[in-house]
Amino acid sequence: YRSSSIIFIFTSLIMIIILTILSHFSYSAYTFYFANFCFIICVVALNIVSEYLLCLTTQKESKESGSTKNNFPIYFGPRGLGSLIGNFFGGRILENHPSSFVFFITSFIPILILFLAMIHQEPKFGSSPPEKRPIREELKVLRNLLSKSELLLLVTCIGLINICPNFDSITNYYLTESMSFSTNDLADLSTISAAFYILGLIFYYRWLLGVSAKKLFLFSNVLLWFGNVSFMALVLHWVQAWGINPKIFCLANYGIYSFIAELNMMPVFAIWTAHVPPGLEATSITLFTGIINLTSNIGNYTGTAVSWMIGVSSKNIERLWLALFVQNIYLILVVVAIFFIPFKEP
């Protein structure tokens, strides 16, 4: 991390090469999986460096001004805006053009990252760069970090929530096959989610920074559960029976859920950042986001297992309501348990 610009430039070049190959050459499924894996690794590298710079900036401002305000909304806001633009136009391009054209258009985006990295002035956070630590020492620090009771309880809460059975892929299939949603409709759902994601950031940054992180985390988890349960009304055909347009219902459901989910994650990052040890900002924040991603992926596998046990399939998609019922029973048990976990404020 001595020069973030070099990492930005290197990863951007690799992304341009991958997207160019995908847009101009034929390839097998295995080749595509490998290329997609390499592309995701590049995105992860960009996120790690961005989070590292964000963490350093926040700590520097806290030391100089004594403020406890964090800059996470400033980081996640532009990322949410990019997601909004990509989802809105991506679905429409994919609806009317082959995938090779989509990859070709996308290949121009890393060029912008490359340009910004070249003109980027590396921030100085001290008179000398931080001392490089041996891997064994870093692992020891991370182990001590996770051994803190307040952080261990926080990670446990996040892990229990994220390993909840995830049925997103089945839900998308249900919307397209049973509810006749088009690619544009799914793109609109992703777009509205990104838009409310940004609104959630603005709302948190403007009005909720001084609110108790613990109380906000607990209350938002309850609201998320109600949002999750409400989707069952669509699967059980109650929405249609009430005379509500399914697409309008889904737009509202996805948007509100995304808004609350962002309010839910901000205090979690605030609590974690407050305990990041000096000199290990990037490693610590990557550890936390890695735990979130790992447990979320476990949730995908548990969702697959539950679907298989219940018998949800393309020929029996109407049993999706039962899978969602199991999901929400698990979630409410975890949410209730969280109220009895005494993790500390940042």
Side-chain angles (χ1 to χ4, degrees):
Y1 302 108
R2 300 302 175 88
S3 177
S4 57
S5 297
I6 293 178
I7 299 178
F8 279 121
I9 293 172
F10 180 71
T11 52
S12 298
L13 289 173
I14 294 178
M15 293 166 73
I16 292 172
I17 293 172
I18 292 174
L19 291 170
T20 302
I21 292 174
L22 293 177
S23 62
H24 289 85
F25 300 95
S26 59
Y27 43 82
S28 65
Y30 293 107
T31 303
F32 175 78
Y33 292 147
F34 177 74
N36 186 55
F37 173 79
C38 294
F39 188 87
I40 292 175
I41 291 297
C42 291
V43 173
V44 170
L46 293 175
N47 285 335
I48 289 173
V49 178
S50 300
E51 291 163 357
Y52 165 66
L53 294 175
L54 171 71
C55 198
L56 283 180
T57 303
T58 301
Q59 287 191 339
K60 180 175 181 291
E61 291 181 355
S62 297
K63 291 179 180 179
E64 292 179 349
S65 64
S67 172
T68 58
K69 181 177 68 174
N70 67 74
N71 294 323
F72 281 104
I74 300 175
Y75 166 66
F76 288 107
R79 195 167 77 169
L81 179 61
S83 177
L84 187 152
I85 296 172
N87 288 325
F88 181 80
F89 290 103
R92 284 153 179 79
I93 295 174
L94 191 60
E95 182 85 10
N96 302 300
H97 298 280
S99 58
S100 58
F101 180 79
V102 177
F103 287 129
F104 175 73
I105 294 296
T106 309
S107 66
F108 288 97
I109 297 177
I111 296 178
L112 177 61
I113 302 175
L114 186 63
F115 172 75
L116 294 175
M118 288 180 175
I119 65 174
H120 171 66
Q121 297 294 323
E122 193 75 16
K124 304 299 182 182
F125 295 101
S127 58
S128 60
E131 181 183 354
K132 186 174 179 60
R133 307 187 187 192
I135 294 179
R136 181 176 297 181
E137 184 178 344
E138 289 195 2
L139 292 176
K140 182 179 179 180
V141 172
L142 294 178
R143 184 187 65 189
N144 294 336
L145 183 65
L146 286 176
S147 65
K148 293 183 178 181
S149 59
E150 60 270 21
L151 292 187
L152 183 60
L153 290 173
L154 177 65
V155 170
T156 301
C157 292
I158 299 299
L160 288 175
I161 292 173
N162 286 349
I163 64 174
C164 172
N166 187 311
F167 305 111
D168 286 350
S169 58
I170 301 176
T171 298
N172 287 337
Y173 179 84
Y174 176 81
L175 292 177
T176 54
E177 297 299 321
S178 298
M179 306 303 299
S180 301
F181 278 43
S182 65
T183 303
N184 281 346
D185 292 329
L186 295 181
D188 288 340
L189 293 180
S190 297
T191 301
I192 200 69
S193 296
F196 274 80
Y197 170 96
I198 296 173
L199 289 177
L201 285 171
I202 296 173
F203 190 83
Y204 174 82
Y205 193 69
R206 181 67 179 82
W207 289 287
L208 298 180
L209 276 178
V211 175
S212 164
K214 177 181 178 180
K215 291 180 180 178
L216 179 59
F217 179 65
L218 294 174
F219 182 66
S220 58
N221 271 308
V222 174
L223 294 180
L224 285 176
W225 182 79
F226 279 108
N228 211 58
V229 169
S230 66
F231 189 79
M232 290 185 64
L234 179 70
V235 179
L236 293 172
H237 305 290
W238 294 348
V239 170
Q240 298 88 319
W242 296 334
I244 303 174
N245 187 307
K247 294 180 181 179
I248 295 178
F249 173 83
C250 286
L251 287 171
N253 180 272
Y254 276 60
I256 295 173
Y257 189 92
S258 179
F259 179 87
I260 300 173
E262 196 53 38
L263 298 183
N264 179 258
M265 284 307 299
M266 284 296 99
V268 171
F269 275 105
I271 294 172
W272 183 270
T273 306
H275 295 85
V276 171
L280 279 179
E281 293 85 0
T283 307
S284 300
I285 202 69
T286 303
L287 170 67
F288 186 54
T289 54
I291 292 172
I292 293 175
N293 292 330
L294 174 62
T295 51
S296 297
N297 284 327
I298 293 175
N300 293 331
Y301 286 105
T302 57
T304 302
V306 170
S307 301
W308 176 76
M309 289 187 290
I310 293 177
V312 180
S313 65
S314 58
K315 297 180 180 179
N316 201 12
I317 193 63
E318 293 301 324
R319 290 182 65 86
L320 176 60
W321 74 269
L322 186 56
L324 294 175
F325 179 77
V326 173
Q327 179 191 59
N328 285 291
I329 289 296
Y330 173 86
L331 277 177
I332 192 59
L333 292 175
V334 174
V335 170
V336 171
I338 289 176
F339 276 87
F340 298 95
I341 297 178
F343 58 84
K344 297 180 180 180
E345 296 283 352

